Amino acid sequence: MQRRYLSLAAAIATTMTLTLTGCGSGSGDGDVTLKLVAAEYGDSPANSSQRYWDQLTRAFEKKNPGIKIDVEVYSWKDVDKKVEELVKSGHAPDLAQIGAYADYAAKDQLYSVDQLLSISTQGDFTPALAETGEYRRVQFGMPFGASTRRLFYNKKLFAEAGVKAPPQTWSDIARDAQLLKDKGVQMPYAVPLGPEETQAETLIWMLSGGSSYTDTIGKYRIDSPENVKTFEWLKNDLVGKGLTGSDPAKLNREDAFQGFADGKVGMLNGHPTLMKQAEAKGIDYGTVELPGIDGKAKATMGVADWMMAFKQNGHRTEAGKFLDFVYSKKNVVKFSGDYGLLPVTTSARQTMLADTKYAKLHGFLEQLATAEFYPANKTSWPLVSKTIKAKMGTAVGPKGNPAGVLTEIQHVADEADSAALG
């Protein structure tokens, strides 16, 4: 990396510029190549993320001839690990679009968002997402792709079982699932608590029961009375009565989605990309807000992936310029539309809500502002999430002990939180 030695006066001037504009300068000498490591959202070569980034970077480079963008795309199984390896080896990318940012923010390896983006771009992020991107009240994580969850149901299977309306309460779920089972449906209600995405299904049910992973001040409350009640109901009234069709601990989200697309699942919690998967197989489906104990759930779950900018190479200005381009309304709408995800900016959200082309996404979009997200701003979350993946499926099995499992995970969370604060 080139090192420039500034005079004291120049350094003071630079500091004043940073304070006033929030943008400042990076290397500034000749051509700069930014390295971006990104995740794969596509399911075929025709809609690969590499193709998306190639088109976007060509458009950017045409307008900004002094900045080149080198993008490498990895599967979601590998991308977080790849970035971790690069950072540990002293070769951090300029930008990374991955699943978590807090560990890097805690180690002072990232630029804060106000050091990168224009004020208009900063202000355009959906507030709930921007807040989730904060570490110690400073935003380091920029939301990239988002989704919310709704209950999907197979209209044909419902009609054949005599179910006239989708469920709105837990008792509705149990009754409808029993009717589907009596009609021979293989999985009346799919509950994927397998290791692939256990933390998502777990949070959905917690919200359905009126609780969450954390309280209003961010303290873990995994073993709250509400959560214990939720998973006892799931164990006794759904899994225990054979209404899930399989052992939740062995069912992954990908397999549950495929089962729905194959017409073998009556109901499940899903995100927008399931619509495309189901439509490709000719499934006539509907979606509704998540049912709760005695009415609609208090909130739905939201998920966001994160963009971040590393300090190591000093390309702050160039990274900020590129990110302003990435988060323009046109580009956010295109990315969201191409991959069936929800836009992370207010302007793109309003555009998509006003366009009937995206009508099937509107139910998901309307929930985004009030959705609850993983506590991604806690450096303890990766360990807690890993523990949830390892243990939550067993909580609702035949020999499961929901209270015991939740307490065990709570202890891990408390210890991890204490270690992070220490």
Side-chain angles (χ1 to χ4, degrees):
M1 182 180 70
Q2 289 185 334
R3 298 182 181 274
R4 295 182 301 159
Y5 297 89
L6 301 174
S7 66
L8 178 61
I12 293 172
T14 300
T15 303
M16 291 177 64
T17 301
L18 298 186
T19 304
L20 292 171
T21 68
C23 293
S25 64
S27 61
D29 297 327
D31 288 349
V32 166
T33 297
L34 298 178
K35 176 70 173 293
L36 165 63
V37 176
E40 178 62 76
Y41 289 88
D43 55 13
S44 71
N47 72 340
S48 70
S49 289
Q50 189 69 58
R51 182 168 180 168
Y52 169 81
W53 285 113
D54 287 347
Q55 292 174 345
L56 185 141
T57 56
R58 280 198 298 269
F60 174 78
E61 289 170 357
K62 187 174 181 180
K63 293 183 178 181
N64 300 272
I67 306 174
K68 305 296 181 185
I69 313 295
D70 176 20
V71 183
E72 290 185 5
V73 175
Y74 295 86
S75 73
W76 274 109
K77 291 189 300 182
D78 301 322
V79 68
D80 289 87
K81 183 179 179 181
K82 178 63 178 179
V83 172
E84 182 181 0
E85 290 172 351
L86 288 170
V87 173
K88 284 184 176 179
S89 69
H91 298 93
D94 296 287
L95 299 162
Q97 183 266 302
I98 52 177
Y101 68 88
D103 276 349
Y104 301 119
K107 295 173 184 175
D108 194 29
Q109 294 172 322
L110 303 178
Y111 289 118
S112 60
V113 172
D114 63 348
Q115 293 177 306
L116 294 161
L117 302 181
S118 65
I119 292 174
S120 60
T121 301
Q122 289 180 62
D124 200 21
F125 286 127
T126 298
L129 289 168
E131 184 176 342
T132 306
E134 293 179 357
Y135 174 74
R136 295 186 175 176
R137 299 192 178 184
V138 177
Q139 187 181 355
F140 293 93
M142 292 161 276
F144 189 69
S147 67
T148 58
R149 299 297 193 268
R150 288 170 70 83
L151 178 75
F152 281 69
Y153 63 98
N154 184 311
K155 290 183 177 181
K156 179 182 177 183
L157 295 181
F158 267 46
E160 291 173 349
V163 181
K164 297 182 179 179
Q168 295 188 12
T169 67
W170 285 1
S171 59
D172 292 344
I173 287 175
R175 180 198 65 223
D176 296 346
Q178 186 64 58
L179 290 170
L180 290 164
K181 180 185 178 183
D182 293 344
K183 202 65 178 178
V185 175
Q186 187 171 327
M187 284 189 189
Y189 197 118
V191 181
L193 287 174
E196 179 192 356
E197 204 178 44
T198 328
Q199 79 282 7
E201 189 72 11
T202 299
L203 179 54
I204 290 169
W205 281 100
M206 286 178 170
L207 294 170
S208 177
S211 190
S212 186
Y213 281 129
T214 58
D215 60 21
T216 55
I217 61 171
K219 181 177 175 58
Y220 284 114
R221 57 173 180 181
I222 292 167
D223 63 349
S224 69
E226 296 90 346
N227 286 339
V228 172
K229 180 180 178 181
T230 293
F231 289 96
E232 286 179 344
W233 182 88
L234 186 58
K235 175 184 184 296
N236 297 325
D237 291 71
L238 213 59
V239 181
K241 294 181 178 179
L243 301 179
T244 59
S246 70
D247 180 358
K250 297 178 181 177
L251 181 66
N252 281 321
R253 191 263 308 162
E254 182 179 355
D255 296 325
F257 277 22
Q258 188 60 55
F260 188 80
D262 290 339
K264 299 176 181 178
V265 173
M267 297 175 274
L268 81 169
N269 301 313
H271 53 64
T273 58
L274 180 55
M275 295 190 294
K276 181 180 178 181
Q277 192 173 348
E279 289 164 3
K281 290 292 193 77
I283 299 297
D284 185 15
Y285 67 89
T287 73
V288 292
E289 292 181 51
L290 301 179
I293 298 175
D294 51 13
K296 294 177 182 177
K298 69 163 192 170
T300 189
M301 184 190 82
V303 173
D305 305 320
W306 301 99
M307 178 75 79
M308 61 211 72
F310 287 87
K311 293 179 176 180
Q312 182 179 322
N313 301 320
H315 296 150
R316 186 167 56 83
T317 295
E318 295 84 359
K321 188 174 289 189
F322 178 60
L323 290 170
D324 274 334
F325 182 78
V326 168
Y327 285 105
S328 67
K329 181 173 69 174
K330 174 183 175 182
N331 288 328
V332 173
V333 169
K334 176 171 173 50
F335 173 79
S336 303
D338 284 356
Y339 295 103
L341 293 168
L342 304 184
V344 297
T345 62
T346 301
S347 61
R349 176 176 173 271
Q350 291 172 342
T351 296
M352 294 179 78
L353 279 172
D355 191 339
T356 56
K357 175 182 176 182
Y358 303 107
K360 291 182 178 179
L361 281 174
H362 287 177
F364 296 91
L365 280 165
E366 288 163 356
Q367 298 177 141
L368 185 58
T370 56
E372 289 205 23
F373 297 84
Y374 300 136
N377 55 351
K378 297 169 77 69
T379 57
S380 57
W381 173 243
L383 176 59
V384 174
S385 177
K386 182 178 179 181
T387 307
I388 291 166
K389 289 182 178 183
K391 297 182 179 297
M392 271 312 298
T394 65
V396 299
K399 298 180 180 180
N401 176 5
V405 171
L406 290 168
T407 298
E408 194 175 345
I409 298 171
Q410 179 72 41
H411 288 160
V412 172
D414 288 341
E415 289 178 6
D417 242 5
S418 296
L421 292 173

